[in-house]
Every structure is written in structure tokens, then in C-alpha cells.
Amino acid sequence: MSIIVCDHCSYKKLCGIEYHGVENMRLRKEISESYGVLHAVHECCMTLGISSKAKNPTKDGVDLGKNICLIDLCSGKAITAALCGALDEDESNNYFLAIDKMLPHTMPHFLNTNKIQYLCRDIMAKEMFAEMKDIVEYQTLQGRTCILVGMHLCGLLSERAIDFFDQIIGLRGLVLSPCCLPKKHEQRKISFTKGKPLDGEEK
């Protein structure tokens, strides 16, 4: 699929000085994986009826839409948000929020612009539900459709993303790409209940 092919224009832009902090990564691999996520986001928006296939797709092969708030959980160096910024049109009203535990001073310089923000947070913290709810409510009032993204979320982190999507009404879509199941000793901490056997039922 062309969506996975890294466009040289995007690659070159993400290597620029304003993206300090990402140029030493396995950038082509990261961009390729982010393209896959953004393709899934676009498909999600089509399903929701808020986007359609572009008649003239961008040279990078992905259409971000016009009124999207993309929330990237455990974003790492926020390559997905960086790619969104590189592809996005100025008049789109899109907003991209990256969330991770990494300290802000270790993050690339492109973050914290009008369209791309970074929050240093532990998504497993109890207070994150209230904060996430406030974020989603505010972005919805700005006319944006909120889509939650989780790429390479290990174990309980994927379960947390599902909990956010299940409990926060304003989240309209979830693109989840987990990398592993919860470890055996973590399974007792799982709070998400849909599809889980009730006590006494066979697993």
C-alpha cells in the first residue's frame, strides 16, 4: 500500500532542525508505522461520516480531514504528531495532542505550537480520566472530532486506552495497535469489563 511508503519530502522535513530530537531515531521505520496509524484514522473518519476519500490525495497519500483532534497516547518522541504537522493544511482546524511520561525538555522542538501540543502525563494515573474528559469536551466545543490513537501500547496500557474510549463520551474513534497482552501478574489489575467472563464463568 502506498500509505506505508515514506515520502522523501516528509522524511526530509522531519530531519530539520525544528524537529530536533527525532533525527537520530529509526525515522523511516517510525514514519512508516505512523502512516499506517493515520490511514486507520482516515478510515475511522470515513466510517463516522466526517471525511471522504480525497479526489486528489496529498503527495504523501493520506488525507487528515479538516476538523480532527488526534490524541496520541504514550506517543514517545511524537513522530505521529510530527507527521500530522508536516502534512496538515493551515486552514484545517485540526489539533494534535501527544501524551507521554517523557520530560518536556527531552521532546522535539516542534511541540507546543498552535496545532501540536505535548502533555507530560502518566496515563495510568487515576486523575487522567477527569483530565482527558476535560480535554475532549474542550476540543469538541472547538468543532473538532476527537480520535484516540494508541500505537505499540504494551499490556495494561492498551486496556487503559479502551477504558478511555469506553468511558469518555466525546471520543468518537479509537485506533489501537497493541504490541503485547498484559502479563499474567498484571491481569488481575484489568478494569475493562466488556467481554470479560463473570466470576464463575469459564474463560
Side-chain angles (χ1 to χ4, degrees):
M1 292 176 59
S2 63
I3 198 73
I4 304 300
V5 177
C6 298
D7 181 88
H8 288 290
C9 180
S10 294
Y11 180 79
K12 185 175 181 180
K13 184 169 184 179
L14 295 185
C15 288
I17 187 62
E18 70 271 29
Y19 295 93
H20 174 71
V22 303
E23 72 275 9
N24 293 324
M25 301 175 63
R26 293 179 296 175
L27 194 51
R28 290 185 183 275
K29 174 180 178 293
E30 295 286 338
I31 291 176
S32 177
E33 292 170 343
S34 290
Y35 264 115
V37 166
L38 294 181
H39 175 68
V41 169
H42 179 59
E43 293 291 324
C44 179
C45 291
M46 289 176 58
T47 300
L48 291 171
I50 58 175
S51 183
S52 59
K53 285 192 180 296
K55 293 180 180 178
N56 297 302
T58 68
K59 62 182 180 299
D60 294 282
V62 67
D63 175 20
L64 297 177
K66 297 295 182 184
N67 297 287
I68 304 299
C69 170
L70 187 146
I71 303 172
D72 188 8
L73 296 179
C74 302
S75 58
K77 287 285 189 178
I79 298 300
T80 300
L83 186 56
C84 286
L87 296 174
D88 195 37
E89 299 175 0
D90 291 339
E91 68 277 10
S92 69
N93 190 39
N94 289 336
Y95 177 80
F96 311 107
L97 177 64
I99 302 176
D100 204 290
K101 292 197 298 184
M102 298 177 69
L103 295 176
H105 74 272
T106 68
M107 299 302 292
H109 294 166
F110 70 86
L111 295 171
N112 299 321
T113 64
N114 290 334
K115 288 203 166 194
I116 306 175
Q117 297 285 322
Y118 174 71
L119 279 182
C120 178
R121 298 288 190 274
D122 178 0
I123 70 167
M124 300 302 289
K126 185 181 295 185
E127 58 271 17
M128 270 306 297
F129 272 99
E131 184 168 9
M132 187 72 74
K133 183 173 180 290
D134 289 343
I135 290 169
V136 171
E137 286 181 353
Y138 175 79
Q139 293 301 325
T140 301
L141 287 173
Q142 306 310 305
R144 300 180 179 118
T145 298
C146 295
I147 307 291
L148 194 63
V149 165
M151 183 167 66
H152 298 168
L153 295 191
C154 298
L156 292 178
L157 295 175
S158 285
E159 188 260 348
R160 189 64 154 182
I162 295 171
D163 269 341
F164 286 142
F165 180 67
D166 184 53
Q167 297 183 35
I168 300 175
I169 295 173
L171 286 171
R172 299 289 309 283
L174 170 64
V175 174
L176 182 62
S177 178
C179 67
C180 61
L181 294 171
K183 296 177 182 177
K184 195 166 184 179
H185 72 275
E186 294 177 328
Q187 291 178 9
R188 69 180 186 277
K189 301 177 183 178
I190 292 177
S191 60
F192 185 69
T193 56
K194 284 188 177 179
K196 271 178 47 175
L198 298 175
D199 290 342
E201 289 184 349
E202 291 186 6
K203 297 184 179 179

